[in-house]
Amino acid sequence: MVWPIRSRISSLLCSKAPLVGSYIYDSCGCLRFSAPTSSSITRHWPKIMDWVQMDRCRAAASLPSIKEKQPESHSNRVRLGQEIKGLDEGNMAEIDSYQNLFGLMKQRFLSFKSQKYIKELEHFEALAEAQFPKFMVIACADSRVCPSNILGFQPGEVFMIRNIANLVPVMKNGPSECNAALQFAVTTLQVENILVIGHSSCAGIEALMNMQEDAESRNFIHKWVANGKLAKQRTKAATAHLSFDQQCKFCEKESINQSLLNLLSYPWIQDRVRKELLSLHGGYYNFSNCSFEKWTLDFKQCNVEEGSSYVVKEQEFWC
């Protein structure tokens, strides 16, 4: 009974050959569709091994095969139809989600254009020619900490870089995207303020605090947060009696001050700070209670040579 069924299927394939593509087998022995070719049109009768391969694919997909002689009952047809419908609905949901995501983005852009850009056209036309920001901000890449959102920076006001745990490496550690941006901001744009912003529940600082001291790692995150190891050492020394969570919170602020000291390892930054053409500031955003702390590094009281002693001034707490 197997071969008459296959013959009828083959006859149907022959009659439709000019209109359909061919099926070919991949390295796993499963069937996939290919565009119509001359060979797919002229070859009407599948070889015996083709049927074996098709049966293997059906078995892999948990579908009844011809070899098993399972008649396609009404319940099987209904079940298969429901599975196909569910698959189609799942794909459509993904497409809808994708379209909704960029649809929302499009609406936000058009709203910005009509409510901001057009109304301040003269300002944006000037920005198209040049930028003169007063601030450089170094903030964490955390999606919950957007400096422009929480501090209200407008286009053209701030030159910004964001990285894991808002760290600044010392100059001797070599080039990075952070110090490349620093050089451009300070020497070309001649910003007057650098603000390093940390935040609560920082995963980068937690990774730093969890790292083994002498462990060699190929982990990119570990290699980067190692730039804050001096802040970690000071934290461990000052908070040995505290819980791990409290130590992390302490280090979140200590690493900001370490980054401010690291900024002074760049001669072209230290020179402008010494001449009072540039000020270095720290900021800490707590998104649990929506508060912000701000302070300024007191350059005259810092031990620049050792790079481990610092004093801050002009501390403010906004809540």
Side-chain angles (χ1 to χ4, degrees):
M1 292 300 294
V2 175
W3 284 107
I5 296 173
R6 290 177 177 168
S7 298
R8 288 197 296 273
I9 295 173
S10 299
S11 299
L12 290 172
L13 289 173
C14 291
S15 64
K16 300 293 184 181
L19 302 177
V20 299
S22 62
Y23 289 86
I24 57 178
Y25 303 101
D26 58 23
S27 59
C28 298
C30 289
L31 200 63
R32 58 187 176 86
F33 184 76
S34 177
T37 63
S38 57
S39 60
S40 67
I41 295 175
T42 56
R43 179 187 162 196
H44 302 315
W45 293 91
K47 295 179 180 179
I48 182 68
M49 288 307 297
D50 290 348
W51 290 108
V52 173
Q53 296 280 25
M54 289 176 71
D55 286 344
R56 285 174 58 191
C57 290
R58 289 193 184 96
S62 301
L63 294 175
S65 67
I66 296 175
K67 288 173 63 179
E68 295 167 349
K69 299 182 181 180
Q70 293 183 353
E72 188 178 13
S73 65
H74 175 70
S75 61
N76 286 340
R77 288 196 300 270
V78 171
R79 179 179 60 82
L80 184 58
Q82 290 174 340
E83 290 176 355
I84 294 172
K85 181 181 178 182
L87 182 62
D88 290 341
E89 289 177 348
N91 291 339
M92 288 304 297
E94 289 182 6
I95 293 172
D96 288 344
S97 176
Y98 178 84
Q99 290 176 338
N100 288 340
L101 177 65
F102 282 91
L104 178 60
M105 196 179 297
K106 175 184 176 181
Q107 291 304 315
R108 287 175 176 173
F109 170 74
L110 294 177
S111 176
F112 159 76
K113 184 175 182 178
S114 62
Q115 300 299 319
K116 187 92 176 163
Y117 185 89
I118 299 299
K119 291 182 178 180
E120 301 176 24
L121 185 58
E122 210 172 292
H123 172 64
F124 283 99
E125 286 178 340
L127 286 179
E129 299 299 324
Q131 59 172 326
F132 303 98
K134 300 293 185 182
F135 270 89
M136 179 181 186
V137 166
I138 301 169
C140 186
D142 194 299
S143 63
R144 299 165 292 182
V145 187
C146 178
S148 294
N149 187 269
I150 63 177
L151 297 178
F153 289 119
Q154 299 301 305
E157 287 185 346
V158 60
F159 189 82
M160 191 179 305
I161 185 169
R162 299 178 68 175
N163 61 42
I164 298 296
N166 45 270
L167 295 172
V168 177
V170 294
M171 184 174 178
K172 68 179 182 180
N173 284 4
S176 70
E177 64 177 33
C178 182
N179 49 38
L182 274 170
Q183 185 172 11
F184 181 76
V186 174
T187 63
T188 302
L189 298 178
Q190 298 187 350
V191 296
E192 298 173 6
N193 301 275
I194 298 178
L195 172 61
V196 180
I197 301 176
H199 66 93
S200 58
S201 303
C202 182
I205 295 300
E206 184 177 345
L208 169 66
M209 294 296 292
N210 270 318
M211 281 177 57
Q212 298 298 319
E213 291 297 331
D214 300 322
E216 285 291 330
S217 174
R218 295 183 179 180
N219 186 305
F220 291 151
I221 296 174
H222 288 174
K223 282 185 174 294
W224 173 253
V225 298
N227 287 302
K229 62 183 180 181
L230 289 179
K232 176 183 177 179
Q233 291 171 4
R234 285 200 296 270
T235 296
K236 290 289 188 180
T239 63
H241 60 291
L242 299 179
S243 68
F244 179 74
D245 287 345
Q246 290 173 317
Q247 289 179 349
C248 286
K249 186 173 182 179
F250 185 95
C251 192
E252 286 166 355
K253 297 181 181 180
E254 190 63 32
S255 66
I256 297 170
N257 289 320
Q258 183 60 55
S259 286
L260 296 179
L261 285 174
N262 289 350
L263 285 169
L264 295 175
S265 69
Y266 298 87
W268 28 271
I269 291 180
Q270 186 181 143
D271 182 61
R272 290 185 67 81
V273 172
R274 193 182 302 276
K275 294 177 180 177
E276 299 185 352
L277 299 174
L278 176 65
S279 297
L280 308 181
H281 313 275
Y284 181 80
Y285 173 52
N286 188 331
F287 46 69
S288 297
N289 60 12
C290 194
S291 63
F292 194 89
E293 296 177 55
K294 173 266 172 190
W295 61 92
T296 299
L297 186 70
D298 190 341
F299 174 74
K300 294 180 180 179
Q301 300 297 321
C302 290
N303 189 331
V304 179
E305 299 302 324
E306 294 183 7
S308 59
S309 174
Y310 64 87
V311 176
V312 299
K313 60 182 181 179
E314 300 172 8
Q315 293 177 274
E316 297 181 30
F317 186 77
W318 309 334
C319 61

